[in-house]
Amino acid sequence: MYERGATAGDSVNDAQSRDEHPGRGWERLRWADLATRIGDPVVPQGLYPCFRCFPSMKGSDIQPGSIEGPAEGSLDRPTWDQLIRFLTVHSPQGAHTACLAYYNPIITRDFEKGHVRSGRLGDAQSLFDHPDILYTPSNLWAADRSWVICTDYDLWATKVCGPRPLVEALLTDPEIEAIRLPWTS
């Protein structure tokens, strides 16, 4: 999420694709900071990260339009780049790890054929700038199934499943805002 400062112009994002930094005068707003400011938990019990997470925001002094939520179904560039770096470090073959990327038909607007691409993890950062698909992949996974990420179109988050060192590194990283979701079977 981003918050507009007093001197900010209009956002460059249209909420219909991947997010870039919205422009001069906007600052990153972490979920934890917003939750502390308005007294809500970061993610209420029984919910996943989504627009329903901050019910007290409507009764707060936050001005409409001063906060820009994340794009649905896509990561912003800093988070995507950092996540790919983490996956590279925590994959046995590093940048040479074979992986697959799947795009949800809601994103591609093509319900006739699946959109799965294969390649090396070291090339995955280029998926952010793909000229034909304006979203990051819905799923990205190592061919050996050692990790998988899922960016759900209806949530404001990306789930990462993988080895404990990868998960712990994400949870302690100061750049990526990560929470541990409860285990469900």
Side-chain angles (χ1 to χ4, degrees), residues 17-89:
S17 64
R18 57 193 172 233
D19 276 346
E20 295 282 358
H21 189 283
R24 193 173 63 79
W26 289 83
E27 292 185 18
R28 181 91 185 245
L29 176 61
R30 297 193 171 277
W31 283 53
D33 295 337
L34 178 59
T36 298
R37 186 186 311 171
I38 62 177
D40 286 339
V42 175
V43 179
Q45 186 70 24
L47 288 180
Y48 288 114
C50 69
F51 66 92
R52 293 184 184 97
C53 284
F54 301 107
S56 300
M57 199 159 88
K58 289 185 178 162
S60 72
D61 62 352
I62 296 172
Q63 298 297 313
S66 67
I67 294 178
E68 178 178 290
E72 291 185 83
S74 193
L75 292 168
D76 63 355
R77 182 181 300 275
T79 305
W80 174 256
D81 290 347
Q82 184 73 338
L83 182 56
I84 297 303
R85 283 191 288 274
F86 271 100
L87 293 171
T88 302
V89 167

Side-chain angles (χ1 to χ4, degrees), residues 54-138:
F54 301 107
S56 300
M57 199 159 88
K58 289 185 178 162
S60 72
D61 62 352
I62 296 172
Q63 298 297 313
S66 67
I67 294 178
E68 178 178 290
E72 291 185 83
S74 193
L75 292 168
D76 63 355
R77 182 181 300 275
T79 305
W80 174 256
D81 290 347
Q82 184 73 338
L83 182 56
I84 297 303
R85 283 191 288 274
F86 271 100
L87 293 171
T88 302
V89 167
H90 291 277
S91 294
Q93 291 82 33
H96 298 287
T97 299
C99 58
L100 297 109
Y102 166 76
Y103 292 90
N104 185 315
I106 293 172
I107 290 170
T108 62
R109 304 285 190 239
D110 183 354
F111 294 90
E112 299 300 318
K113 60 181 180 175
H115 287 269
V116 178
R117 300 190 192 292
S118 62
R120 297 175 338 115
L121 182 57
D123 299 324
Q125 284 181 308
S126 67
L127 294 173
F128 192 93
D129 296 314
H130 193 286
D132 298 329
I133 302 174
L134 301 178
Y135 293 80
T136 55
S138 306

